[in-house]
Amino acid sequence: ILDFQIMGGDGDFSMDNLFYSRRIGRAPRYEPETGAGEYLDMPEATSILGAFKVTGKTRRGFSLGILDGLTARESAAISANGLQRGETVEPLTNYFMLRAQQDIREGRTVVGAMVTAVNRDIDEEALDFLHRQAYAGGVDLFHSWKDRRYYVAAKAVFSLVRGSAQAIDRTQRSSVHYYQRPDADYLDYDPDRTSLGGWGGNLEIGKNGGSRWYWAGGVTWRSPGLELNDMGYLSRGDAVMAWGWAGYRSNKPFWILNRLGVNLNAWQGYDFSGEPIFVGGNVNFSGQAKNYWSFNAGINRQGANLSTGALRGGPALRCDPGWNVWYGLSSDSRRSLVASLSGSVYGADNGMRRNVGASLSLNYQTGSRLSLRLAPGYSYNRNSVQYVASEDAGGESRYVLGDLDQKTFYVTMRLNFSVTPDLSIQFYGQPFLSRGRYDAFKRVSDPRAALFADRFHSYANGEIAYDAAGGAYRVSEGGVGYSFSDPDFSVLELRSNLVLRWEYRPGAALYAVWSHGRSGDNGRGSFDLGDGFADLLRLPSTNVFLLKFTYNFNL
């Protein structure tokens, strides 16, 4: 009932939602500057002073959900020479949400609405980059007929954010909007604006039952000013996408299969000026063999597109087409031990981008008391058009790209153990290691050129040099000089949670939670798993302990 997903299915727009629970209690977003010899102690999360949630549904089909939460004004401690001072890093904030739905015709028709509100008490000038108020809302309709075989669904959303000119300018320039793009004359970028509004929606019609064939089609849109990220989630604005898919599924055993599904997808995207920005399509297969092994596979074709975000607020950059292939295979799910393998391979037509990834999952379960999951994964990414920096050179912007060589490894671990029917233990942990190195630096010269080589100027040996002492690259071309920091990176991270749940009476439960985290950079120039895990365990840790009580009652 608390969900208001703007578009269903999957893809880049499928996660857009009016409500995203992790916004409440998130890590503070302001980090004070420190001087020489000063030590900064930042809170890892924002304390929740109080919250309540009420959900329910009447016999007549009316559903209601209300949530309200108040988070604390958080401060960071800055210490030096035995003296300590504090600076506010997150304001006192209230989050409110109301969701209502009404079932009609025994749920064959559903109408609903949702509103959210975020209000921040900002007294410090340093926090003026945050919105003081952020309001959003939406209405939705779902209607089905012929025994729910056919349906039409519509959603409309709006948003309004208010704050200082600094806050709204930051929003306009963010990766969701990029109002400042020099080639986007249709966008009204105003650094003095103190509010920003927008709208969006989704309209679709489809068939999802009654035969082995099913289909759907529709259009989804996000205006340039739509902003949901204070309490919800929005991946990007300024986009209109028309899409359609059709599929076939058979659950009747034949040949060596118990079931088989095939579907085709196609999409075309535009910005709000009407210019095409992306196009693509794919075909997917999934099924189960008669030995109960399951499989899925697919191939995706992404056409040439204009990326409005590749240069981080610079002009749109032409990106060449490419192919992506993915696969998955899983053993008999009825067994105590289930193994799954999945992966993907991507390659651009011109060879300038490629990505390979694979993961293995081992799941072990004995009855209903114990389940274990171990899932390691690895990926390799080589991208010759990875953004590095935007620098001023004689009054002109230089957009610097490089060839990124990145390797990533992670392991996901889960444990669920029921000590008794009323007492259970859950554990989640994930160590994560990633190393990225850059070379072959270049600047953008003609971002929309048809040929890859014509879009960039590659620095010659005499034009670029590395300053080891300063950790930066110095560029001198045509009498103009500028520099950018060394973009190489190394990320080590460990996140884990241990939860003890005791349902001491029906409808009432007590939770004891321990959250443990480590993160940092080991500074190594190579990707080595053994050294990486050893460095990870030597990093400083953060531990959070909390108690949670829930009680359900009937009204």
Side-chain angles (χ1 to χ4, degrees), residues 396-410:
E396 296 183 1
S397 294
R398 292 286 192 269
Y399 301 99
V400 181
L401 307 180
D403 285 18
L404 169 63
D405 188 285
Q406 182 181 5
K407 299 174 182 177
T408 300
F409 180 82
Y410 60 89

Side-chain angles (χ1 to χ4, degrees), residues 118-163:
V118 178
N119 290 279
R120 297 184 175 91
D121 182 20
I122 299 177
D123 293 329
E124 299 80 5
E125 183 178 351
L127 300 181
D128 257 351
F129 69 93
L130 299 172
H131 299 141
R132 292 181 179 271
Q133 296 94 31
Y135 307 120
V139 294
D140 59 319
L141 167 69
F142 176 84
H143 176 69
S144 63
W145 64 96
K146 287 193 175 182
D147 295 327
R148 305 178 190 264
R149 297 179 184 178
Y150 299 89
Y151 73 92
V152 61
K155 293 185 178 181
V157 299
F158 70 90
S159 69
L160 176 65
V161 293
R162 294 173 177 163

Side-chain angles (χ1 to χ4, degrees), residues 348-368:
D349 289 1
N350 58 9
M352 294 297 103
R353 290 186 62 191
R354 58 185 182 275
N355 181 279
V356 179
S359 64
L360 174 67
S361 176
L362 299 174
N363 296 271
Y364 178 75
Q365 183 164 343
T366 57
S368 59

Side-chain angles (χ1 to χ4, degrees), residues 356-436:
V356 179
S359 64
L360 174 67
S361 176
L362 299 174
N363 296 271
Y364 178 75
Q365 183 164 343
T366 57
S368 59
R369 295 193 62 186
L370 175 67
S371 66
L372 297 168
R373 181 173 185 260
L374 181 67
Y378 174 81
S379 68
Y380 172 75
N381 176 38
R382 180 72 180 182
N383 185 0
S384 297
V385 287
Q386 180 63 50
Y387 176 84
V388 174
S390 175
E391 302 295 338
D392 179 77
E396 296 183 1
S397 294
R398 292 286 192 269
Y399 301 99
V400 181
L401 307 180
D403 285 18
L404 169 63
D405 188 285
Q406 182 181 5
K407 299 174 182 177
T408 300
F409 180 82
Y410 60 89
V411 181
T412 301
M413 299 168 286
R414 293 184 184 273
L415 177 147
N416 291 280
F417 178 60
S418 296
V419 183
T420 70
D422 301 323
L423 183 66
S424 63
I425 299 172
Q426 293 90 38
F427 171 78
Y428 166 83
Q430 186 186 71
F432 177 91
L433 296 81
S434 185
R435 171 65 178 162

Side-chain angles (χ1 to χ4, degrees), residues 88 100 117 157 182 229 266 286 291 294 298 312 367 426 437 466 479 500 517 528:
T88 302
V157 299
N229 288 305
S286 64
N291 63 358
S294 58
R312 309 298 195 269
Q426 293 90 38
R437 303 192 67 180
Y466 182 61
L500 177 68
D528 185 280

